[in-house]
Amino acid sequence: MKVGDIVMFTGQGVYAKWFYGQLGIAESVSQSKSGEWHCRVKWMQPVLYHGRYTSSSDFRVDNFDVIK
């Protein structure tokens, strides 16, 4: 995954309820101090999350598939 990629949230964890299947654009990809890779995503459409809309989110990269 790299900056500018179109990605889909495919994670199966607790956040899937709100984000599964949502499309976004990778804005940044970085490695945390613990060694995990994370991605900041700008959603193509704001996502309703706990009663409020969010236009961007940060998750581990393994929660996303890159759309080709």
Side-chain angles (χ1 to χ4, degrees):
M1 178 185 299
K2 62 185 181 308
V3 172
D5 281 347
I6 297 174
V7 296
M8 178 186 287
F9 189 93
T10 56
Q12 298 296 316
V14 67
Y15 295 103
K17 176 179 177 179
W18 299 280
F19 295 98
Y20 189 85
Q22 297 295 324
L23 296 172
I25 299 172
E27 291 190 313
S28 67
V29 180
S30 59
Q31 192 172 20
S32 69
K33 291 180 181 181
S34 66
E36 292 181 328
W37 285 92
H38 290 259
C39 177
R40 179 156 186 88
V41 173
K42 180 170 178 73
W43 300 113
M44 291 188 176
Q45 294 184 339
V47 178
L48 184 61
Y49 174 65
H50 286 291
R52 295 180 61 191
Y53 285 95
T54 184
S55 59
S56 61
S57 301
D58 293 273
F59 291 107
R60 288 189 331 259
V61 296
D62 62 0
N63 284 298
F64 296 98
D65 286 341
V66 176
I67 304 299
K68 305 253 180 202

